Amino acid sequence: MEEHVEGTMSGSIPTELILEIFARIPTKWLFQIRCICKQWYNLIDNDPCLPTMHLAQSTTSEEEALILTHWFHVKHRKSTLKFITESPNPILEFPNTGRYDLENSCHGLLCFSKCGKEEEAILSNPLKRELHILPRSTALSRWPQFTRYGLGFDSSSKMYKIVRIFFRDFDWTNLGYELGAEVYTVGSTAATAGQWREIVRVPHYPLYRRGVYTNGILHWLVNYEFTHDDDLKSMVVSFDFKKEEFNSIPHPEFSSKNSNCFELVDLRGYLGMVDFSLGTHIEIWKLKDYEKKEWVREYKIDIHPLDGMPINQCIEVVGVIGEDEILLKHFDMLVIYSSKTGGLRCIQTLSAGLDMDPPEVYVFRGSLVSLSL
């Protein structure tokens, strides 16, 4: 018998049809209308099929910019997260003091790590106000400040996983750094539930900056401080959450192999690589065919940096937003580059103060995915 929702504003509309409608409504609107009646609240919050349906229908109109602000005081630091277009009230406050940096995002979930000597990783769906602190690993890092975390989705098991890459020690025999890697499965009921599992094969180099998740795979740049140009074949390291394997990703030939002159960016589901090494302009390359590893130059943005200042020290490519526009961060200003006109325009000046570190900005697309799933 077909299930119906009775006694609500939806009358006797079949539940399947209501879910199809909800799947096409922006996430933030769903969280507003769920309060209309109990049935809608239960469907939006608890239906196991709706988050997947909604992800499949998600559009670019849901993209918004998030600001991660870091406050510091005499005795402690604190980080908060908010949208740039709304009230100054944060949508997420971290439970402990300290600075938290965003590692990456996946399906509307955010992965944060705490900076400093005490490692801590947090997962959050900020729209659902959900926050989950991961259990700490028993494998200690020699230098916690260089530890990297990353969140992704395993399509075979339908589970979310977090990978951790850390320094075990210095390898005096080979004069190199001994790295370790582990993976944690969120919500697992297996015998290893709640535990970090070791990954034997690890990257050759430490990783740099936040990761970019596309095609079920997480990507980072190698850390330029620990590489030797003659040995470096690729600046991009990947982790496949399904196979639980690390690999390197081939990329276009660049004039520089210093990963400090590059940046990875999410180009609406495609892996992007930003080249800052050219001095007079920025080039953004897109991995158009992931299987064949075919790259194309998607954007060329003319930049006039301050005298003597490298472009990568004054410009950050945040991501794609709106009608194929690139969101840039220039010191404390948010700037939009239009691919149609080739023009730049400032859209907002970020607040700054003596009690703040420079804020960080990210492009975010919300979802209904729950950390309890």
Side-chain angles (χ1 to χ4, degrees), residues 172-198:
W172 292 99
T173 303
N174 300 306
L175 297 180
Y177 291 88
E178 182 183 349
L179 299 179
E182 301 175 307
V183 69
Y184 179 89
T185 303
V186 180
S188 173
T189 57
T192 56
Q195 301 176 18
W196 290 89
R197 294 180 288 106
E198 182 181 11

Side-chain angles (χ1 to χ4, degrees), residues 32-198:
Q32 294 175 8
I33 67 171
R34 68 177 177 165
C35 299
I36 290 178
C37 64
K38 184 178 180 180
Q39 287 84 355
W40 286 17
Y41 184 94
N42 288 332
L43 285 176
I44 293 170
D45 266 33
N46 303 317
D47 188 90
C49 299
L50 185 57
T52 303
M53 294 170 61
H54 194 268
L55 280 175
Q57 298 289 343
S58 181
T59 66
T60 58
S61 64
E62 291 208 52
E63 292 167 338
E64 295 190 69
L66 291 174
I67 298 178
L68 184 58
T69 305
H70 308 289
W71 307 86
F72 61 89
H73 305 280
V74 176
K75 294 184 179 180
H76 67 271
R77 289 174 176 262
K78 192 169 183 64
S79 299
T80 59
L81 188 72
K82 67 177 289 291
F83 289 111
I84 67 168
T85 56
E86 297 183 357
S87 71
N89 297 325
I91 60 170
L92 180 66
E93 293 189 86
F94 295 89
N96 301 317
T97 57
R99 173 180 170 133
Y100 290 83
D101 286 330
L102 179 65
E103 294 283 356
N104 78 295
S105 63
C106 169
H107 296 174
L109 301 179
L110 303 177
C111 178
F112 298 93
S113 65
K114 185 177 182 179
C115 299
K117 296 181 180 180
E118 294 184 5
E119 278 192 46
E120 186 175 82
I122 287 179
L123 298 183
S124 173
N125 183 331
L127 294 185
K128 292 177 74 74
R129 301 296 197 271
E130 291 182 344
L131 189 145
H132 177 65
I133 301 177
L134 296 179
R136 291 186 180 179
S137 169
T138 57
L140 299 180
S141 173
R142 182 74 177 270
W143 295 282
Q145 65 270 29
F146 292 113
T147 299
R148 292 261 70 90
Y149 289 87
L151 169 68
F153 183 70
D154 180 349
S155 59
S156 61
S157 65
K158 308 298 182 186
M159 304 291 282
Y160 288 90
K161 297 178 178 179
I162 298 91
V163 63
R164 172 180 179 253
I165 304 98
F166 61 99
F167 279 85
R168 289 190 185 276
D169 210 339
F170 186 80
D171 184 352
W172 292 99
T173 303
N174 300 306
L175 297 180
Y177 291 88
E178 182 183 349
L179 299 179
E182 301 175 307
V183 69
Y184 179 89
T185 303
V186 180
S188 173
T189 57
T192 56
Q195 301 176 18
W196 290 89
R197 294 180 288 106
E198 182 181 11

Side-chain angles (χ1 to χ4, degrees), residues 214-233:
T214 62
N215 298 283
I217 297 174
L218 190 57
H219 310 81
W220 301 266
L221 289 172
V222 298
N223 194 320
Y224 69 100
E225 293 182 356
F226 303 95
T227 60
H228 305 285
D229 287 356
D230 295 338
D231 302 328
L232 191 61
K233 295 180 180 179

Side-chain angles (χ1 to χ4, degrees), residues 265-331:
V265 64
D266 181 359
L267 299 178
R268 286 180 170 160
Y270 292 91
L271 178 64
M273 193 166 183
V274 185
D275 182 1
F276 292 105
S277 68
L278 302 166
T280 58
H281 63 278
I282 296 171
E283 290 185 351
I284 304 178
W285 292 76
K286 180 169 104 173
L287 186 51
K288 189 173 183 179
D289 190 319
Y290 200 93
E291 294 299 322
K292 297 179 180 178
K293 300 299 184 285
E294 292 182 357
W295 293 80
V296 296
R297 194 183 74 174
E298 194 77 0
Y299 304 97
K300 178 178 177 290
I301 306 175
D302 293 323
I303 298 291
H304 303 285
L306 299 174
D307 291 341
M309 178 172 287
I311 292 180
N312 62 308
Q313 292 185 14
C314 60
I315 293 287
E316 177 188 348
V317 177
V318 179
V320 186
I321 201 165
E323 296 295 326
D324 199 28
E325 297 178 321
I326 301 294
L327 180 63
L328 308 171
K329 181 172 175 281
H330 175 61
F331 294 116

